[in-house]
Amino acid sequence: MVTIIDRTLTSFDTAGMSARDLNHFCDLLFSCGVTKIELTPDLLARLGFPSSAASLRKWLGGRSFFLTRIFPISLDSSGMTKPQPLWKLEPNDLVEKNIPVSKLKSALSPHQKIRITGLEDLMNRDYPTVFKALLGSGAQTLDLCPSNHHHCAAAIALEWLLAGGTSISCAFANHHNFAPLEEVLMGLKLHQPDAFSGDLSVLSELCGLYEKCSGQPVAKMKAIIGADIFKVESGIHVDGVLKNPHTYEPFNPQTVGNQREIVLGKHSGRKSLLYKLNDPGLSESTAHSILKQIKSRCTQLGRNLSDLELQTLASEVQNDKKIYC
């Protein structure tokens, strides 16, 4: 079984987060497929844990915790067993090591619980051999937390899991240069759809909460969670995606709580226009005139046209043609 550890909350300032937002953030992480959430001791009281958690915090000192979600069996009103999710705290006893690839094998000892950080250049090396050596090291627990300085941490994480690794640490939206959680989860879903049980449709809500709590906007074209990644403007793209969405979409937009949107801009073609106006009887000359105006207007504005702006412009062009015909 694969363990997905999220480290987002340990790496940004949560002082401005309300207890409600903090709890909801954790709920959404668990819903999308996270196994454990790494927390700092300071976050415990704000999450509303009982007094027994205080002794654990005191014993651990400044070290971090793992928050896990368990499903104990309970009886519902009909007497049937029904799992009720609960949160549980456990100590994070992983020893972090940032070890050069050349020294990995000699630096690991059997029966240790280790988190290996760094490894940002692993994709440029013979990584299958490196993974084989790691898996054969005899370590009791081996968690990989690759750095994303070379923008390939998600690929390293997925290759590690596919090679037989059982634990990976990530952070949402590439926070703190860890492997982007959303990309790792989507990779697992696409590669092992029957084994993956997370609900990625909550990613859109999680993204909004992340932006609110961190004060950091997520790039609109960010893979998996970007707000604009399913906006289609180019004429040939619109034609292709309307005929077969898989032409340009590796997964359904609703999978991540998003939706496809055809937008009109300076790269749009007749197919886009007919789709947006829902007027298959539009003449070739009228469509050409409207598209010419669209491209001119979008160039001036530096953006796409809204649906209302499109309808207004199309009406103006059609009325002009009636007057001069």
Side-chain angles (χ1 to χ4, degrees):
M1 181 178 176
V2 170
T3 298
I4 307 293
I5 301 173
D6 181 80
R7 305 187 70 186
T8 311
L9 290 172
T10 63
S11 56
F12 73 74
D13 183 10
T14 58
M17 291 180 73
S18 67
R20 181 176 180 177
D21 283 344
L22 197 56
N23 277 268
H24 191 42
F25 195 89
C26 292
D27 266 328
L28 292 173
L29 286 174
F30 284 133
S31 295
C32 69
V34 168
T35 314
K36 299 181 179 183
I37 300 172
E38 190 169 351
L39 298 172
T40 61
D42 293 338
L43 291 171
L44 267 185
R46 295 171 56 202
L47 277 169
F49 275 91
S51 56
S52 58
S55 58
L56 179 60
R57 178 173 55 180
K58 183 178 179 181
W59 177 64
L60 285 173
R63 293 163 58 198
S64 60
F65 298 81
F66 285 142
L67 183 68
T68 59
R69 187 159 67 167
I70 58 174
F71 290 86
I73 299 299
S74 60
L75 297 179
D76 61 18
S77 57
S78 63
M80 301 293 290
T81 58
K82 184 180 179 181
Q84 297 289 339
L86 296 173
W87 288 4
K88 174 187 171 186
L89 281 173
E90 59 182 279
N92 173 12
D93 47 10
L94 295 174
V95 177
E96 287 201 13
K97 294 188 177 185
N98 192 324
I99 312 167
V101 172
S102 59
K103 298 181 180 179
L104 272 175
K105 192 171 182 179
S106 60
L108 299 181
S109 304
H111 314 301
Q112 283 187 318
K113 295 181 179 181
I114 301 169
R115 170 184 279 156
I116 300 175
T117 60
L119 303 184
E120 57 269 8
D121 63 341
L122 195 58
M123 293 301 285
N124 298 327
R125 300 175 177 270
D126 181 14
Y127 63 86
T129 300
V130 173
F131 289 156
K132 186 176 180 180
L134 289 176
L135 293 170
S137 66
Q140 181 180 343
T141 303
L142 200 54
D143 176 72
L144 209 63
C145 183
S147 167
N148 202 33
H149 289 291
H150 291 182
H151 308 290
C152 56
I156 294 173
L158 288 166
E159 289 291 349
W160 165 246
L161 297 176
L162 295 176
T166 57
S167 183
I168 194 77
S169 285
C170 317
F172 188 72
N174 187 34
H175 199 84
H176 205 62
N177 257 327
F178 296 146
L181 171 71
E182 63 281 358
E183 295 180 26
V184 173
L185 293 177
M186 179 56 76
L188 288 174
K189 179 177 177 63
L190 293 177
H191 188 79
Q192 301 172 331
D194 295 332
F196 184 80
S197 59
D199 177 12
L200 298 187
S201 68
V202 304
L203 286 177
S204 178
E205 185 179 1
L206 183 59
C207 186
L209 187 56
Y210 170 84
E211 290 182 317
K212 172 188 174 183
C213 296
S214 69
Q216 300 181 22
V218 172
K220 292 186 180 297
M221 295 305 293
K222 170 73 180 69
I224 313 299
I225 56 174
D228 290 353
I229 62 173
F230 291 104
K231 284 187 176 180
V232 191
E233 176 187 330
S234 171
I236 192 171
H237 288 186
V238 171
D239 187 42
V241 83
L242 291 178
K243 289 176 178 175
N244 181 1
H246 293 297
T247 306
Y248 293 104
E249 295 174 356
F251 53 88
N252 189 311
Q254 294 178 346
T255 303
V256 292
N258 205 334
Q259 60 183 358
R260 183 187 310 120
E261 184 180 357
I262 307 298
V263 295
L264 271 294
K266 58 185 180 181
H267 302 295
S268 296
R270 188 169 181 270
K271 279 283 186 182
S272 307
L273 184 62
L274 294 178
Y275 175 83
K276 293 292 284 186
L277 292 179
N278 193 24
D279 185 4
L282 196 68
S283 69
E284 190 76 35
S285 62
T286 302
H288 178 76
S289 298
I290 295 174
L291 281 172
K292 185 176 179 181
Q293 290 296 321
I294 287 172
K295 293 178 181 183
S296 174
R297 189 76 59 85
C298 288
T299 300
Q300 291 175 355
L301 296 173
R303 60 171 174 81
N304 302 117
L305 294 186
S306 68
D307 288 351
L308 179 60
E309 289 171 329
L310 170 63
Q311 293 291 343
T312 302
L313 186 148
S315 296
E316 290 173 354
V317 172
Q318 289 172 311
N319 289 334
D320 285 346
K321 290 184 75 67
K322 287 177 184 178
I323 292 172
Y324 292 105
C325 284

